[in-house]
Amino acid sequence: MFKTIFKTIWSHLTINKTYTALNIGGLAIGIGCSLVIYKIISYESSFDSYHKNYENVYRLIIEYKDPIEGIKYQEGQVHPLGAALRNDFPGVDAVMTYYAAKGQINIENNNGNIQKYQENTGLVYADPNIFKVFDFDFLAGDPATAIVDKGSVVISTSLAQKYFNLSPKDVGEAINCFLIINNKSALQVSGIIADPPKNTDLPFKIIANYEDQVASNDYFGSGTDWNEYSSYTNCYLLLPVQISAATYENQLVDFYHKYHKEDSNQEMKYVLQPLSELHSGLCNNYSKRQVPHKNLLILGIIGLFIIIIASINFINLSAVQATKRFKEIRIKKIFGENKTQSIFQFLIESVFISFIAAFIGLFIAHFLFIYLEGVIGFRLDSELLINPNTFIYLILLATTIGLLSGLYPAMIIARMSTSGALKTSLSLKTSSLSLSVRRTLVVIQFTISLVLIIGTLVMNRQLNYFLNKDLGFSKEAILLAPLPDSNKDKLELLKTKLLNYPGIEMVSFGTRSPLANWKVSNAINYHTIEENQYWGNLKNVDEDYLNLYRLELIAGENISSVQNTGDAVVNRKITKLLGFENPYEALGEKFKYGTELEFTIVGVVEDFHARSLQKEMENVIFSNYAFNINEMAVKINPAILKQSGHQQSIKIIQHEWDNIFPEDIMNYTFFDEQIANLYKEEKNTSNLIQLFAIIAILIGSLGLYGMISYVIRSKTKEIGIRKVNGAKVSEILTMLNKDFVKWVAMAFVIATPIAYYSMNSWLQNFAYKTTLSWWIFALAGFIALLIALITVSWQTFRAARRNPVEALRYE
């Protein structure tokens, strides 16, 4: 029986090659894209799930109420927090981590020469019990004692190979070797671990004792200050199974007020963030990359849309094929085939085609994995042989699509009667019903395509808004480089040397650029505002800083070249906060910053964006204090940059740097690139949606091509009769195309409110956003209409030009 069924299936597939190619091609693209989206969502949802204590590990964060932005969360903690938690809650493992991320590593080789390496990720200082809370694969050394003592460090196998020129099997020989961090601390290797997997927000490759962070953190001190916060200092907790997160959070209320008496009147408390939410949650993480759940939801919906569009194609084309096979089915019924056998035949055929499409979809997914590596930043693989979940997903998807898509054409076959078995057309009732359903399905396809087109246009517009909006400062042709912690007295010499070159316009030293992730933040206190409610971003800078970044001074004077005077230039937002609408009225006013500093306002700059446009503007203070001067900015002459590129300028800067700081690596970036990286995730999401929107439109076009073929075939005689009676080609084209125009119009009416609501909700995530202009929707409708007309016009034009004699002979 099955042999006969598959022989019949194969016969129909080879006879109707065009419909077979359209059916399988569209479905294969849909399944391939669906598999890619499934793998992306699976990957992004798997971060740190390999830890055996995954379900019971939490990060301690602070919840507080911002007077402007409402409920906010802070991941940074104070250094003595871990010890206090372990003391007050026996049985709860608390791990403090300070993630320096980057650092210079020096290795002395056998010849006594120093080899310098710049590591931009992976450097962390942690409590010794980190290896009890998190899982690390030790290749050498004892996790129980690896970093119990100061001066000990655990490194990854790849770094052991790089630093000490070892083969993978000999990495254990790195034990007891020494490395020097930032030219400050010599640490002895006490353990070797496997490289961290890609799906982790704890990308640790160099793990040193927590108290050794003085090599990277100038503010660690003795580690006992309950007022020294840092966003890089996190606290992770491993709760016993018998303690729920909610119960423990309630106990933390009294704990917070016990150690933070000065904050007892503020709405601040500790809350627990599950390890599973580090990748998508409320605060920043150490990987510097987050994918919110809403992004994965959007991607999942797009995957569902693509499958629906591909399935609609399958249904429409299968229905067309079913109407062409009615004579075959009726003859079979005359010879005894019952309704159930006919339906079974079509369902088996549908599932068979679906599995062929799934097989081809695997290859399409493979090429998409390669293409998307540059978009999403990591390489995916189908992993069918090692990941049963992927195989199960593919089998279930193909089976479900095959059964659901084959059900409608099977029901058309089931409605056929044995009367008039040798007729060459369906009954008007049956034909009209099937055509009506197919029209509805095509409208659904266009609706989905229009929503995706509008979404793509809005996301691209928002991204362009981010990248092109005036931020209130200059960002072009500015090189940024972190300064070494030592030899700060040589900075003026470096500036003098660099300014001797005509290609370098200005040099400035400061805490950070106007827009930067790292910042110093403390409360601003003044008699007109509520105490400890408003925070300021402090940037210590030199007298050239404002001019280099072209920050607009609207009142008062620039920063003095004399350091540590307590004078400050503030942005206009601060003057308004203090109650001065006119910035000149704020000149000479004093305000307190934190617990120790007091500033006198000597100048006011126009407001600018000190953080990404996803967030509100900050209160910014520029002062001339000598501490926290840790970044160099070099303004390169744009004309020189245009003529010879940036490489020559970099060589000049590098040469002078090496002469003055021979022990330190110059690790640089360009300011405009740094800003662009702030919107990397938005850009990746936009590119993904744009790609899948194009694919969805392509799949829909394949189905439309098959649909117009059916319409033309069903109207062949009508076209011939109209031409005999004098109808023009343009009139025939209008007759054939008008239905498709109506379908696009109906889809546009349905899609517009859906897209508006979805995109308006998405834009609410940004403090600064573009507008949903009417032309975006009009352009999307025009694109959809143009695609539909291009898809059908060639076939309709051929039909309109056909010899009417051939049309009248058509059977």
Side-chain angles (χ1 to χ4, degrees):
M1 174 183 173
F2 283 102
K3 182 178 180 182
T4 304
I5 290 175
F6 283 111
K7 187 175 181 180
T8 304
I9 293 172
W10 187 253
S11 174
H12 285 298
L13 291 178
T14 53
I15 290 173
N16 304 291
K17 293 185 177 63
T18 301
Y19 280 102
T20 298
L22 291 174
N23 237 346
I24 294 178
L27 198 54
I29 294 172
I31 291 176
C33 291
S34 172
L35 180 59
V36 170
I37 291 174
Y38 167 77
K39 292 300 296 183
I40 291 174
I41 293 175
S42 297
Y43 174 79
E44 299 291 5
S45 302
S46 69
F47 271 60
D48 293 303
S49 59
Y50 60 90
H51 294 289
K52 66 182 180 182
N53 296 316
Y54 177 70
E55 298 291 339
N56 298 316
V57 175
Y58 299 85
R59 179 170 66 169
L60 200 65
I61 59 178
I62 294 176
E63 179 184 289
Y64 65 97
K65 187 174 182 180
D66 185 279
I68 297 174
E69 299 182 45
I71 298 297
K72 303 285 289 181
Y73 297 90
Q74 170 187 309
E75 72 274 18
Q77 302 298 344
V78 294
H79 295 298
L81 176 62
L85 285 167
R86 291 190 294 269
N87 180 70
D88 288 19
F89 300 101
V92 175
D93 264 314
V95 175
M96 296 299 298
T97 57
Y98 175 80
Y99 188 58
K102 61 179 62 177
Q104 180 178 321
I105 309 299
N106 291 352
I107 306 294
E108 184 176 352
N109 61 25
N110 295 331
N111 299 324
N113 297 322
I114 299 295
Q115 294 176 300
K116 295 181 288 186
Y117 302 91
Q118 178 63 41
E119 301 296 342
N120 291 321
T121 60
L123 174 57
V124 68
Y125 302 88
D127 287 333
N129 59 339
I130 185 174
F131 301 119
K132 292 170 61 180
V133 175
F134 299 108
D135 292 318
F136 293 89
D137 183 11
F138 267 76
L139 307 179
D142 182 2
T145 59
I147 57 171
V148 168
D149 299 322
K150 285 183 63 177
S152 300
V153 65
V154 172
I155 62 175
S156 69
T157 179
S158 61
L159 294 184
Q161 295 171 53
K162 180 172 73 172
Y163 293 161
F164 305 108
N165 195 27
L166 299 171
S167 66
K169 62 182 179 62
D170 295 326
V171 291
E173 295 180 14
I175 296 292
N176 296 325
C177 293
F178 284 87
L179 55 85
I180 301 170
I181 298 180
N182 294 331
N183 293 311
K184 289 183 177 180
S185 299
L187 306 182
Q188 188 173 28
V189 177
S190 57
I192 308 295
I193 55 174
D195 288 321
K198 293 180 180 179
N199 60 333
T200 181
D201 290 313
L202 305 169
F204 303 156
K205 294 184 289 185
I206 304 174
I207 307 174
N209 183 282
Y210 191 71
E211 294 185 11
D212 283 316
Q213 66 180 273
V214 290
S216 300
N217 181 11
D218 290 337
Y219 297 97
F220 178 66
S222 61
T224 58
D225 188 349
W226 281 88
N227 294 309
E228 182 56 45
Y229 287 90
S230 167
S231 59
Y232 298 140
T233 302
N234 287 184
C235 179
Y236 296 89
L237 302 174
L238 173 59
L239 296 186
V241 178
Q242 65 272 19
I243 300 179
S244 70
T247 300
Y248 191 67
E249 278 188 352
N250 290 333
Q251 297 174 8
L252 287 173
V253 173
D254 291 335
F255 174 85
Y256 182 89
H257 294 300
K258 175 182 176 181
Y259 291 97
H260 297 276
K261 293 184 176 64
E262 70 281 2
D263 297 333
S264 58
N265 295 325
Q266 299 183 40
E267 298 180 46
M268 304 181 76
K269 64 178 181 178
Y270 286 126
V271 294
L272 298 179
Q273 182 185 34
L275 185 61
S276 59
E277 293 184 6
L278 258 65
H279 198 61
S280 60
L282 306 170
C283 303
N284 294 326
N285 58 41
Y286 286 157
S287 68
K288 301 291 186 184
R289 179 176 173 273
Q290 288 182 295
V291 181
H293 288 307
K294 65 178 183 294
N295 287 16
L296 297 183
L297 178 62
I298 291 171
L299 205 55
I301 291 173
I302 290 173
L304 180 62
F305 281 175
I306 290 175
I307 285 297
I308 291 173
I309 290 175
S311 299
I312 288 174
N313 273 5
F314 196 2
I315 292 170
N316 279 337
L317 294 174
S318 297
V320 169
Q321 287 297 87
T323 59
K324 293 173 67 176
R325 293 169 57 184
F326 71 93
K327 185 186 292 186
E328 167 204 331
I329 301 301
R330 281 174 171 164
I331 291 174
K332 285 183 178 180
K333 286 188 175 184
I334 290 173
F335 284 96
E337 183 175 276
N338 59 39
K339 183 186 296 186
T340 303
Q341 289 174 314
S342 298
I343 294 175
F344 184 71
Q345 162 78 29
F346 265 78
L347 289 179
I348 290 293
E349 182 174 328
S350 180
V351 172
F352 182 73
I353 293 174
S354 185
F355 271 86
I356 294 175
F359 180 75
I360 298 173
L362 272 174
F363 293 95
I364 294 173
H366 175 72
F367 288 109
L368 283 175
F369 290 150
I370 297 172
Y371 170 76
L372 289 175
E373 183 176 5
V375 176
I376 59 181
F378 52 86
R379 181 70 171 270
L380 291 168
D381 193 271
S382 57
E383 300 175 328
L384 283 183
L385 299 179
I386 61 175
N387 189 345
N389 290 337
T390 304
F391 185 76
I392 293 170
Y393 170 81
L394 203 59
I395 294 294
L396 290 176
L397 181 64
T399 304
T400 303
I401 290 174
L403 290 175
L404 294 179
S405 301
L407 192 60
Y408 172 65
M411 296 309 294
I412 293 177
I413 295 302
R415 286 198 300 269
M416 292 180 180
S417 65
T418 56
S419 61
L422 300 181
K423 286 183 181 179
T424 56
S425 63
L426 281 174
S427 67
L428 181 61
K429 180 180 179 182
T430 303
S431 179
S432 298
L433 178 62
S434 62
L435 184 58
S436 176
V437 173
R438 289 198 296 278
R439 285 171 178 166
T440 302
L441 294 176
V442 170
V443 171
I444 294 174
Q445 276 188 316
F446 274 118
T447 300
I448 293 173
S449 297
L450 276 164
V451 170
L452 291 177
I453 292 170
I454 293 170
T456 300
L457 293 174
V458 172
M459 287 188 170
N460 280 335
R461 193 178 188 205
Q462 178 66 15
L463 186 62
N464 289 332
Y465 176 84
F466 279 158
L467 298 178
N468 298 315
K469 187 180 186 303
D470 181 12
L471 299 175
F473 52 78
S474 174
K475 62 181 179 178
E476 285 75 26
I478 298 176
L479 178 144
L480 303 176
L483 294 169
D485 292 328
S486 57
N487 298 319
K488 291 289 179 67
D489 55 324
K490 295 183 179 181
L491 294 182
E492 288 304 317
L493 174 61
L494 177 61
K495 178 186 285 192
T496 302
K497 292 285 187 181
L498 292 177
L499 291 176
N500 287 332
Y501 295 94
I504 295 177
E505 289 187 349
M506 298 186 72
V507 178
S508 174
F509 304 114
T511 298
R512 283 292 192 278
S513 57
L515 192 158
N517 282 328
W518 191 91
K519 65 180 181 179
V520 177
S521 186
N522 281 293
I524 295 174
N525 287 314
Y526 186 71
H527 64 85
T528 62
I529 60 177
E530 192 173 352
E531 187 176 3
N532 294 332
Q533 287 294 306
Y534 298 91
W535 295 71
N537 181 349
L538 173 63
K539 298 177 186 291
N540 293 327
V541 301
D542 63 14
E543 67 277 13
D544 295 316
Y545 185 96
L546 300 185
N547 291 330
L548 186 145
Y549 289 107
R550 296 182 183 175
L551 289 159
E552 184 183 357
L553 191 67
I554 59 175
E557 58 187 23
N558 189 11
I559 291 290
S560 168
S561 59
V562 180
Q563 291 183 325
N564 303 320
T565 62
D567 293 343
V569 172
V570 301
N571 66 339
R572 193 169 188 173
K573 184 177 175 67
I574 287 186
T575 64
K576 291 179 179 179
L577 173 67
L578 302 185
F580 302 100
E581 285 297 325
N582 185 338
Y584 284 94
E585 295 175 356
L587 299 179
E589 290 295 316
K590 299 180 184 292
F591 65 90
K592 291 184 177 180
Y593 181 76
T595 58
E596 298 179 1
L597 298 180
E598 184 177 65
F599 290 115
T600 301
I601 300 175
V602 298
V604 182
V605 294
E606 188 58 84
D607 284 333
F608 64 93
H609 293 275
R611 52 181 180 173
S612 75
L613 292 169
Q614 299 155 332
K615 301 173 183 177
E616 297 286 349
M617 281 189 179
E618 288 192 316
N619 301 306
V620 184
I621 306 161
F622 298 107
S623 85
N624 55 12
Y625 278 106
F627 64 90
N628 273 345
I629 301 295
N630 47 31
E631 184 176 77
M632 173 178 71
V634 181
K635 176 69 174 180
I636 300 172
N637 188 315
I640 299 293
L641 197 65
K642 188 175 182 180
Q643 290 175 5
S644 58
H646 61 266
Q647 291 300 326
Q648 186 61 35
S649 298
I650 292 173
K651 286 181 181 178
I652 291 170
I653 299 168
Q654 183 75 64
H655 173 72
E656 296 298 342
W657 177 285
D658 290 341
N659 286 339
I660 295 174
F661 302 120
E663 296 182 347
D664 299 287
I665 297 173
M666 188 182 81
N667 186 32
Y668 67 89
T669 185
F670 280 92
F671 190 28
D672 55 352
E673 294 175 358
Q674 180 176 291
I675 292 175
N677 283 335
L678 294 174
Y679 310 110
K680 188 175 181 180
E681 289 306 316
E682 282 74 19
K683 184 177 181 180
N684 288 348
T685 301
S686 177
N687 288 341
L688 276 176
I689 292 177
Q690 183 174 324
L691 171 66
F692 291 128
I694 292 171
I695 291 173
I697 293 167
L698 172 63
I699 296 171
S701 299
L702 293 176
L704 207 57
Y705 183 87
M707 186 71 175
I708 191 61
S709 299
Y710 169 76
V711 171
I712 290 173
R713 185 173 63 83
S714 66
K715 292 178 178 291
T716 300
K717 282 190 176 181
E718 180 186 344
I719 293 170
I721 293 170
R722 286 176 180 271
K723 292 200 68 175
V724 167
N725 286 305
K728 298 178 182 179
V729 172
S730 59
E731 293 173 335
I732 301 297
L733 286 174
T734 301
M735 179 193 74
L736 293 173
N737 287 346
K738 66 179 181 180
D739 283 341
F740 293 96
V741 174
K742 286 193 293 187
W743 297 348
V744 173
M746 290 173 61
F748 180 78
V749 171
I750 298 170
T752 297
I754 297 173
Y756 180 86
Y757 175 79
S758 302
M759 289 296 98
N760 188 57
S761 298
W762 180 74
L763 288 173
Q764 298 310 310
N765 295 303
F766 308 108
Y768 298 89
K769 47 187 173 287
T770 186
T771 56
L772 288 174
S773 302
W774 65 268
W775 65 262
I776 295 176
F777 298 89
L779 178 60
F782 175 76
I783 292 172
L785 179 61
L786 185 64
I787 291 170
L789 291 177
I790 290 174
T791 303
V792 303
S793 290
W794 172 242
Q795 291 191 80
T796 56
F797 182 74
R798 288 179 60 194
R801 293 289 301 272
R802 186 180 296 172
N803 189 328
V805 175
E806 295 179 14
L808 293 174
R809 283 179 181 168
Y810 181 78
E811 192 64 41

